[in-house]
Amino acid sequence: MATNLDLAELLFPEVKGTIEELEAKYPARNLKEGAEVTRFAPSPTGFLHTGSLFTSMISYTIAKTTGGVYFFRLEDTDTKRTVEGSGEQLTSQLGEFGIVADEGYFPEGDKGAYGPYKQSERREIYKTVIKELIKRGRAYPDFCTPEDLDAIRKAQEAVKALPGYYGTWARDRNLSVDERIEKIKAGTPWVIRFKSNGDHDRKTKFVDAIRGEIELQDNDTDVVILKSDGLPTYHFAHVCDDHFMRTTLITRGEEWIPSTPIHLDMFRALGWEAPRYAHIPSIMKLDHGNKRKLSKRKDAEAAVSYFLESGYNTQAILVYLMSIANSNFEEWTIANHSFDLKEFTFSLEKMSLDGALFDMDKLNYFAKEIMARIPVEELFGEVKTWAEKHDAEFFARITSDEPYFKKILNIERDRPNPRKDYAKYSDIAPLTRFFYHEEWAKMLADGLPFQEKFDKETISSFLKDLSGKMLFGVDEPTWFAGLKEVGAAHGFATDKKAYKANPEAFKGNVSDFSEILRVALTGSRMSPNLHEIIEILGKEEVAKRLNEVAEKALA
Ligand code: GLU
């Protein structure tokens, strides 16, 4: 009578290694007490999801703050979903956020002693473990066709039994070794299933590092662990890889909570200690008053590329994500006047459980705060790098005169409460285009937004006069005093009280003639500090613009 040993040999004759050898090859890591080994394990499906960035940031932060290791594993066992080039894309996008793995898959080649870090290159390891499970009677070849499985599902539905391949519904679970060998020899296609010892009426308990104790029904399903294409399923690959890579803390999406009993069942069967789990909440979005998961199909912001393309500062994104990761983060930034993530102590216990809500307004708030604090030289470099990739026209404009553009970027920046106009690099071009004569000329041609209440003659004569009298190279109060003088000469009040007492006697007040000047120079009723603007534009350009507007007003 044939034994499981014969069956294992028949299925995997090429596999010669043992679990003991793997244990020796991938020894326990020599790390200090409390150091966590975490990982980010994406599937190469073509893009980095914002939720994945969130998870990887948390994994990275935990490893760094505990003196542990953070590694990157590419989970490419679902060949139908694999998109060519995703590995490069994922690592390079994470790299833009400074989330660089200590070890793992890198497009230029693996780094680290616990590899390979790409699952499709780990077949030998999976098969070694599976061969051993077969020998121990804890895994078996299953010969069900999709039609057979469909028939089982229908029969279960008919008697209202739970779906799945378990207990008496697991058709091939109790075949004899001889029967199995016969089918294999006859060339019947097979997959390998794990043979669960679980009992659906019992509970499995585990402590989640975020949620505390979780109690779920024990697993009694004989899940597929090796598919017909020779690659493992997620369940088995996770158990095997995180064991041999010596992960101490699994940080993964909360959608994996229901499968955890399967994984614990396998860890038990293999006699391995399971790592701890931290199931990270999904990123949610408020959609017409309802909370729902951020969706790749519906929401542009579900893809990290969206933020990179529109030019968000990567640090700002991380700061925002940290604010949804830990509820005390925002308070901390205010108390410490800091956005330096390295100084903040992240804590899994402080994660909110009811889903992290993604709010663009909040992100923009953080982004503006952070952009405003970046020293101008640094910001210039970031904007230039971004523009080179994403906005050729803007790139040409800013590189035509770099010192000029730096002055523009620096407006109201070097001060305790800097100006906060920009949430992302793409906000800069439209808000600064008026500084460039050709752009300003287009605005003039389209018509400047002067208020109706100012008559053309007043606008024209005031600007014409100002073009010769504007003071340059003086401090702001002196400049403003000069401006007021010209305003007064054209019938505007320069004193608030006098204007209030008798508005009819004037053409307007200080804010009115300032607005006329602002509209003439910037094409808008809102702008940064006018004095800084005229100094940047320079005497010649200012005079030119004022004269052109004065002429056009009367034309
Ligand atoms: N490849 C899995 C996924 O993308 C990883 C889950 C895990 O981190 O274990 O969902």
Side-chain angles (χ1 to χ4, degrees):
M1 214 173 64
T3 65
N4 280 326
L5 262 57
D6 302 317
L7 178 62
E9 220 37 62
L10 178 65
L11 286 163
F12 303 108
E14 75 285 10
V15 176
K16 302 286 177 226
T18 63
I19 291 185
E20 290 67 38
E21 283 164 11
L22 291 173
E23 296 286 3
K25 184 169 175 197
Y26 304 112
R29 292 167 185 268
N30 195 6
L31 293 170
K32 72 172 173 38
E33 173 95 27
E36 300 281 12
V37 181
T38 64
R39 84 295 190 276
F40 177 52
S43 302
T45 54
F47 86 121
L48 182 62
H49 193 286
T50 302
S52 298
L53 176 63
F54 186 59
T55 305
S56 60
M57 173 190 80
I58 291 167
S59 316
Y60 176 85
T61 305
I62 294 172
K64 292 293 141 190
T65 51
T66 59
V69 175
Y70 161 76
F71 70 83
F72 181 100
R73 182 172 67 228
L74 199 62
E75 306 215 319
D76 62 342
T77 58
D78 189 348
T79 42
K80 280 195 246 51
R81 287 176 63 220
T82 296
V83 175
E84 214 38 57
S86 315
E88 286 84 341
Q89 199 183 326
L90 288 164
T91 46
S92 93
Q93 289 193 351
L94 287 169
E96 293 205 41
F97 290 86
I99 303 180
V100 178
D102 300 309
E103 58 182 64
Y105 163 88
F106 285 88
E108 62 277 17
D110 278 2
K111 195 176 135 190
Y114 290 81
Y117 294 91
K118 190 174 174 178
Q119 289 182 327
S120 57
E121 291 169 9
R122 298 174 64 78
R123 291 169 206 250
E124 188 67 24
I125 298 172
Y126 304 127
K127 286 186 178 167
T128 303
V129 180
I130 288 175
K131 188 170 182 181
E132 188 65 33
L133 282 174
I134 290 175
K135 286 185 192 167
R136 296 183 198 167
R138 293 305 309 270
Y140 62 86
D142 173 63
F143 305 97
C144 285
T145 60
E147 294 73 38
D148 295 333
L149 294 174
D150 211 40
I152 294 173
R153 193 167 36 244
K154 286 202 178 108
Q156 287 171 327
E157 262 169 31
V159 297
K160 296 197 164 52
L162 287 171
Y165 202 81
Y166 62 90
T168 50
W169 295 105
R171 191 195 76 181
D172 291 358
R173 180 180 162 99
N174 295 319
L175 290 181
S176 71
V177 174
D178 287 330
E179 283 171 307
R180 295 191 200 281
I181 289 180
E182 196 180 311
K183 281 183 186 280
I184 294 165
K185 286 193 172 158
T188 319
W190 48 264
V191 297
I192 304 290
R193 287 188 185 265
F194 172 65
K195 191 170 191 176
S196 172
N197 276 350
D199 177 348
H200 197 258
D201 295 329
R202 273 204 322 253
K203 302 271 185 219
T204 288
K205 272 191 203 164
F206 67 97
V207 177
D208 182 279
I210 301 173
R211 291 147 212 272
E213 192 170 272
I214 295 185
E215 196 178 64
L216 292 168
Q217 226 129 36
D218 206 5
N219 172 59
D220 64 349
T221 302
D222 289 355
V223 294
V224 173
I225 54 179
L226 195 71
K227 300 177 289 171
S228 53
D229 61 4
L231 284 166
T233 54
Y234 168 76
H235 301 308
F236 184 69
H238 149 55
V239 170
C240 236
D241 292 345
D242 284 312
H243 175 70
F244 287 122
M245 292 178 177
R246 308 297 172 186
T247 310
T248 61
L249 180 69
I250 311 284
T251 42
R252 64 180 179 188
E254 65 184 351
E255 66 276 14
W256 293 108
I257 293 176
S259 320
T260 309
I262 301 176
H263 308 147
L264 295 173
D265 196 6
M266 288 188 207
F267 276 111
R268 275 193 302 270
L270 285 157
W272 295 342
E273 190 187 337
R276 282 156 45 248
Y277 287 94
H279 288 99
I280 310 290
S282 301
I283 299 217
M284 311 292 280
K285 176 176 173 144
L286 213 51
D287 188 0
H288 298 95
N290 295 319
K291 258 191 189 185
R292 62 160 174 82
K293 265 193 187 181
L294 203 58
S295 134
K296 172 174 153 182
R297 278 178 300 108
K298 294 189 201 147
D299 311 309
E301 70 270 31
V304 169
S305 55
Y306 165 78
F307 299 104
L308 296 175
E309 279 156 23
S310 53
Y312 278 92
N313 173 274
T314 51
Q315 193 59 24
I317 301 280
L318 292 181
V319 162
Y320 173 62
L321 290 178
M322 190 54 89
S323 81
I324 47 180
N326 264 193
S327 49
N328 58 324
F329 177 74
E330 205 175 335
E331 215 175 281
W332 177 89
T333 62
I334 295 165
N336 294 279
H337 304 286
S338 169
F339 288 107
D340 188 350
L341 293 174
K342 284 192 213 80
E343 289 173 20
F344 174 71
T345 315
F346 167 79
S347 140
L348 280 175
E349 292 80 41
K350 293 209 174 79
M351 278 203 85
S352 117
L353 292 184
D354 51 357
L357 204 56
F358 198 88
D359 173 355
M360 274 312 242
D361 292 339
K362 199 68 189 283
L363 166 63
N364 287 334
Y365 159 78
F366 275 115
K368 284 181 177 178
E369 290 287 332
I370 286 168
M371 283 265 264
R373 283 171 170 77
I374 304 173
V376 71
E377 280 297 330
E378 210 178 295
L379 180 63
F380 173 74
E382 289 174 14
V383 176
K384 189 172 156 184
T385 308
W386 174 82
E388 188 166 20
K389 264 201 230 164
H390 302 285
D391 187 343
E393 192 186 329
F394 184 43
F395 181 74
R397 195 185 298 158
I398 66 183
T399 49
S400 67
D401 186 346
E402 297 191 355
Y404 183 66
F405 182 64
K406 281 185 205 170
K407 279 193 218 159
I408 297 169
L409 267 187
N410 208 32
I411 291 177
E412 296 183 55
R413 177 166 292 270
D414 284 334
R415 54 183 72 187
N417 189 17
R419 210 179 154 83
K420 292 160 194 143
D421 283 332
Y422 316 130
K424 49 192 185 302
Y425 308 134
S426 57
D427 291 342
I428 301 175
L431 289 172
T432 58
R433 71 182 262 253
F434 72 83
F435 277 104
Y436 296 85
H437 191 88
E438 329 73 70
E439 293 299 310
W440 173 84
K442 283 184 214 159
M443 297 163 106
L444 177 64
D446 291 344
L448 298 177
F450 290 114
Q451 293 193 55
E452 296 273 327
K453 65 179 181 185
F454 307 121
D455 61 83
K456 289 173 184 167
E457 287 71 24
T458 307
I459 294 176
S460 177
S461 64
F462 169 65
L463 293 177
K464 193 146 204 87
D465 200 9
L466 197 56
S467 73
K469 291 184 178 151
M470 178 95 76
L471 300 176
F472 287 86
V474 294
D475 62 16
E476 192 172 350
T478 312
W479 167 76
F480 198 56
L483 181 63
K484 282 207 276 198
E485 234 170 77
V486 181
H490 289 265
F492 289 93
T494 52
D495 179 280
K496 262 193 201 151
K497 264 197 211 145
Y499 180 70
K500 261 203 167 156
N502 194 6
E504 304 304 317
F506 299 98
K507 293 216 162 128
N509 61 12
V510 175
S511 63
D512 290 325
F513 66 74
S514 299
E515 185 183 291
I516 293 175
L517 174 61
R518 189 183 305 277
V519 170
L521 292 179
T522 72
S524 163
R525 288 185 202 160
M526 271 184 320
S527 81
N529 181 292
L530 260 183
H531 182 237
E532 288 197 46
I533 291 175
I534 65 119
E535 284 295 334
I536 293 174
L537 287 172
K539 192 170 180 166
E540 215 176 297
E541 175 69 15
V542 168
K544 203 158 135 190
R545 289 189 186 191
L546 297 184
N547 279 315
E548 278 185 43
V549 179
E551 266 157 44
K552 180 146 194 264
L554 293 180

